[in-house]
């Protein structure tokens, strides 16, 4: 209800835009009409299971997307499909959709986002039935990269069970502030100072096997309203590994590979901030602010242009009449001009600071296992069926590092063993 209400909820009520079980609340009409099936007074007491709703003129925040979102369809083989059901049907879509999610785009409808979400845009792009694409997991809106989806609920359950059960390995790329340590001596010199005095339960070690830093530091939500997290003594135990790939001395930023061993929210972002190397553009966790440009104004103008082209003659519920539409538009902050748009959306939704950070989900590896039924001479045994990798292309912000350090394929393969 907070979206575009404005300063006076009484005016919303007066225009009969608030409803209880589909019946409009209108005090003036309620005085003249005693039929509570047609109109209600605001003095009515709500009962258990009553549904309170509001007619709203809806605008979605803008997103930045390519002309086509890369999608690769991966068919699960028969051995894995048999884990979904012993009698799986060939005509069912048991495939995985590997989507390259752009930053700024939410995975699924939430808050003010509906059409401007990954699942709905991919459905439209690929000619799929609306609301048929199921996200298997999610990425933060400001993060880009691999997002796995499917259309079969049984496949979703199988994948989620394995991912939640610790049978998944994830590989991310990040651009971070400063020169990230590539040896134990550098790590001792740089990270020890930045990590001092935070919490005695947090620490890091150097892993000689792949020349990486392993962080073990508990993470706690310290601001639930804004989903802000930090390393604290009271947090949930979290573990991440980081590996140096390249450094750009001109901009003083490093390209690193990241592996979250546990799966806490914002884990990589918080751990890198704790190490003293926050992610570039991640202003929420100490990252440098993006250079000022016209993207915010362009975003505002794009939504205003879309609003001028809208056609509301079909896009509304049958219970909403022309008078309701007119009233809803009169109360809409967005329709009152650019000066009121800041009240409708926050700065990140308008593609200002924090809308896109340089963190990219590159590859997932899932270990599928099957349990063999015990017989008279043995108990249940679990055996690995196979490991499957899903991946997307590298982000555009790695190109400068490619020119300086060459291909990272071998280094990444060794880190992601």
């Amino acid at each position: 209800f907070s979206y575009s209400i404005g300063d006076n909820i009484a005016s919303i009520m007066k225009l009969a835009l608030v409803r209880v079980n589909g019946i409009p609340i209108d005090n003036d009409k309620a005085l003249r009409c005693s039929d509570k099936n047609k109109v209600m007074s605001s003095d009515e007491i709500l009962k258990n299971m009553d549904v309170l709703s509001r007619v709203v003129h809806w605008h979605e925040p803008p997103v930045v997307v390519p002309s086509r979102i890369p999608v690769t369809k991966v068919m699960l083989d028969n051995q894995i499909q048999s884990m979904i059901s012993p009698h799986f049907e060939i005509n069912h879509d048991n495939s995985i959709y590997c989507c390259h999610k752009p930053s700024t785009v939410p995975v699924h409808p939430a808050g003010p986002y509906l059409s401007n979400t990954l699942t709905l845009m991919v459905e439209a792009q690929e000619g799929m039935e609306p609301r048929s694409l199921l996200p298997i997991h999610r990425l933060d809106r400001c993060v880009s990269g691999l997002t796995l989806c499917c259309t079969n609920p049984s496949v979703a359950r199988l994948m989620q069970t394995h991912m939640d059960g610790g049978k998944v390995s994830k590989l991310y790329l990040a651009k971070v502030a400063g020169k990230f340590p590539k040896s134990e001596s550098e790590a001792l010199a740089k990270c020890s100072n930045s990590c001092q005095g935070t919490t005695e339960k947090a620490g890091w070690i150097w892993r000689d096997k792949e020349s990486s830093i392993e962080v073990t530091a508990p993470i706690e939500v310290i601001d639930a309203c804004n989903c802000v997290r930090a390393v604290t003594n009271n947090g949930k135990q979290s573990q991440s590994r980081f590996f140096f790939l390249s450094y750009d001395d001109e901009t003083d930023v490093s390209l690193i590979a990241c592996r979250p061993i546990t799966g806490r929210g914002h884990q990589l972002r918080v751990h890198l901030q704790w190490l003293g190397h926050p992610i570039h553009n991640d202003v929420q966790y100490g990252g440098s602010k993006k250079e000022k440009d016209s993207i915010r104004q362009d975003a505002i103008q794009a939504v205003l242009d879309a609003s001028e082209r809208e056609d509301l003659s079909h896009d509304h519920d049958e219970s909403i009449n022309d008078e309701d539409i007119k009233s809803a538009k009169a109360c809409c902050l967005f329709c009152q001009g650019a000066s009121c748009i800041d009240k409708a959306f926050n700065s990140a939704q308008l593609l200002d600071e924090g809308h896109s950070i340089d963190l990219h989900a590159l590859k997932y590896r899932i270990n599928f296992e099957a349990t063999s039924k015990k017989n008279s001479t043995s108990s249940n045994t679990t055996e690995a069926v196979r490991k499957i990798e899903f991946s997307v292309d590298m982000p555009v912000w790695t190109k400068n590092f490619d020119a300086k350090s060459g291909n990272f394929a071998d280094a990444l393969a060794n880190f992601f063993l």
Side-chain angles (χ1 to χ4, degrees), residues 21-223:
N21 302 325
I23 301 171
I25 298 175
D26 190 324
N27 289 333
D28 292 338
K29 290 184 179 179
L31 292 174
R32 300 190 298 271
C33 178
S34 59
D35 188 351
K36 293 184 179 180
N37 292 321
K38 294 182 178 180
V39 66
M40 294 180 63
S41 167
S42 60
D43 294 330
E44 290 289 332
I45 299 175
L46 293 176
K47 303 184 295 297
N48 186 32
M49 301 304 291
D50 278 346
V51 177
L52 189 65
S53 60
R54 182 198 160 190
V55 179
V56 61
H57 183 224
W58 192 264
H59 297 270
E60 289 192 46
V63 294
V64 180
V65 295
S67 58
R68 183 175 180 82
I69 297 175
V71 178
T72 303
K73 191 174 179 180
V74 178
M75 179 64 70
L76 298 177
D77 62 31
N78 291 351
Q79 196 173 19
I80 295 176
Q81 290 191 61
S82 66
M83 300 171 63
I84 303 171
S85 171
H87 307 290
F88 69 91
E89 298 183 30
I90 300 298
N91 59 344
H92 282 185
D93 185 1
N94 293 327
S95 54
I96 304 297
Y97 292 80
C98 299
C99 306
H100 189 153
K101 186 186 87 67
S103 59
T104 76
V105 177
V107 172
H108 54 75
Y113 296 91
L114 179 63
S115 297
N116 289 349
T117 56
L118 179 70
T119 53
L120 268 68
M121 286 192 287
V122 170
E123 287 169 353
Q125 172 184 290
E126 302 297 317
M128 304 169 67
E129 289 292 325
R131 301 300 183 97
S132 62
L133 194 62
L134 308 173
I136 294 170
H137 63 105
R138 62 178 299 274
L139 288 179
D140 291 337
R141 178 167 54 88
C142 58
V143 177
S144 65
L146 177 61
T147 308
L148 302 179
C149 302
C150 63
T151 59
N152 188 335
S154 297
V155 173
R157 285 192 295 270
L158 174 70
M159 297 288 289
Q160 289 164 356
T161 298
H162 280 72
M163 295 183 76
D164 295 341
K167 297 180 178 66
V168 60
S169 298
K170 300 179 180 180
L171 179 64
Y172 286 74
L173 296 176
K175 185 165 70 173
V176 300
K179 187 174 183 179
F180 198 83
K182 59 180 178 180
S183 67
E184 185 174 11
S185 59
E186 289 184 4
L188 287 169
K190 295 180 179 180
C191 297
S192 297
N193 292 331
S194 63
C195 301
Q196 281 182 346
T198 51
T199 168
E200 60 270 18
K201 293 184 179 180
W204 62 268
I205 61 172
W206 182 261
R207 290 174 56 89
D208 287 324
K209 183 179 180 181
E210 67 266 1
S211 299
S212 67
I213 293 178
E214 180 175 284
V215 174
T216 302
I219 294 177
E220 179 184 14
V221 178
I222 59 174
D223 183 352

Side-chain angles (χ1 to χ4, degrees), residues 194-195 198-199 202-204 215 217 231 269-276:
S194 63
C195 301
T198 51
T199 168
W204 62 268
V215 174
V231 172
R269 301 166 66 185
V270 174
H271 280 175
L272 285 167
Q273 180 191 35
W274 180 78
L275 278 175

Side-chain angles (χ1 to χ4, degrees), residues 303-323:
V303 180
L304 290 173
D305 291 344
S307 180
E308 291 180 359
R309 296 192 301 268
E310 70 183 0
D311 179 9
L312 298 178
S313 59
H314 306 292
D315 193 18
H316 60 80
D317 189 88
E318 292 180 358
S319 64
I320 300 173
N321 56 40
D322 291 341
E323 188 63 29

Side-chain angles (χ1 to χ4, degrees), residues 37 88 151 164 173 215 219 229 232 239 245 280 314 367 372 376 397 415:
N37 292 321
F88 69 91
T151 59
D164 295 341
L173 296 176
V215 174
I219 294 177
R229 296 164 171 84
T232 71
Q239 192 175 66
L245 290 171
H280 187 244
H314 306 292
N367 181 21
S372 302
S376 57
W397 41 262
F415 179 60

